[in-house]
Amino acid sequence: MPPVPPATSVPLTDHVESLLDSGSPLPIVAAGDPVLRRPAEPFDGQLSGDLLARLVEAMRATMHAAPGVGLAAPQIGVPLRLAVLEDAAAVPDEVRLARGRVPLAFRVLVNPSYEAAGGRVAAFFEGCLSVPGYQAVTARHERVRLRGLDERGRVLDEEVAGWPARIVQHETDHLDGTLYLDRAEPRSLTTTQAAAARWADPTPERAARELRFTLPGTD
């Protein structure tokens, strides 16, 4: 996959142009690449409007192809504070109710940040396109206040709850150099195959009992 250019090497615009010219979907950077561990640079017009629009569309196509419900720019080797989100939430009603997983229309986050809105947390199995093949139970704020901009520069300042809040936190963490594994319960780590075969319950209570870890709020 195309390497992330050092600050003194290939200009960011040229790097993005080269990446987009390589075709879609774009390669996703896997854990172990330094770009996933460095705070991304705030977006401040480094890309033209046309190039930004092309990058956003390529990120959306890559997210769909993976498939996933979110993708941050560092995951394609672009160290900017940009992320795309979208979730059709095609899940059974019991999962929707337990996890607060409701449809999330496509949106772009530019320079996002979040803070807890209330003290409640929720813990569920979570995965990442940059850590393929694994999932782990990860506690997240149940509701967050999201701030930032959209791709047109319009201000975002809103509260997000349930699974959309989890997606916001996961993708924004990427922009700070944080992977979900940094927040996960280590004893819950499982392959995606095992998660589907053994732990496909709407909530991870049974997994916590059998894998012997404590869920937040139950100790």
Side-chain angles (χ1 to χ4, degrees):
M1 68 182 56
V4 178
T8 57
S9 181
V10 180
L12 181 62
T13 295
D14 292 348
H15 174 62
V16 172
E17 289 274 13
S18 176
L19 186 64
L20 296 178
D21 287 345
S22 69
S24 181
L26 304 174
I28 295 177
V29 175
D33 191 306
V35 71
L36 295 175
R37 290 309 197 175
R38 293 193 293 259
E41 180 182 350
F43 180 77
D44 188 24
Q46 295 94 327
L47 308 179
S48 68
D50 177 67
L51 188 54
L52 176 61
R54 289 174 56 204
L55 177 61
V56 165
E57 187 54 38
M59 289 176 64
R60 186 182 190 183
T62 301
M63 174 180 64
H64 287 170
V69 296
L71 186 72
Q75 291 182 275
I76 56 165
V78 176
L80 289 175
R81 292 190 70 84
L82 303 170
V84 296
L85 321 174
E86 188 173 16
D87 184 13
V91 296
D93 285 346
E94 61 176 348
V95 173
R96 175 179 58 81
L97 292 173
R99 302 179 186 177
R101 188 165 181 179
V102 295
L104 175 63
F106 178 73
R107 64 188 311 182
V108 181
L109 305 183
V110 178
N111 299 334
S113 64
Y114 69 83
E115 61 185 32
R120 297 189 64 176
V121 299
F124 294 102
F125 275 103
E126 187 171 320
C128 179
L129 299 179
S130 290
V131 189
Y134 291 90
Q135 296 184 29
V137 173
T138 306
R140 298 280 188 184
H141 302 299
E142 193 173 75
R143 179 180 294 270
V144 297
R145 184 173 184 180
L146 167 65
R147 292 185 175 93
L149 304 171
D150 69 10
E151 71 275 26
R152 298 181 182 178
R154 295 176 297 198
V155 174
L156 303 176
D157 188 346
E158 61 192 78
E159 285 197 4
V160 188
W163 207 260
R166 179 171 294 268
I167 299 171
V168 164
Q169 291 169 82
H170 182 113
E171 300 308 331
T172 302
D173 278 0
H174 270 303
L175 306 180
D176 295 327
T178 298
L179 296 178
Y180 87 97
L181 290 175
D182 300 330
R183 304 186 184 278
E185 165 53 54
R187 292 184 69 94
S188 72
L189 184 66
T190 182
T191 65
T192 298
Q193 182 179 9
R198 288 178 173 268
W199 315 121
D201 304 344
T203 64
E205 276 82 1
R206 186 169 60 87
R209 289 195 305 271
E210 297 190 26
L211 296 176
R212 300 185 179 183
F213 62 89
T214 301
L215 289 172
T218 63
D219 54 350

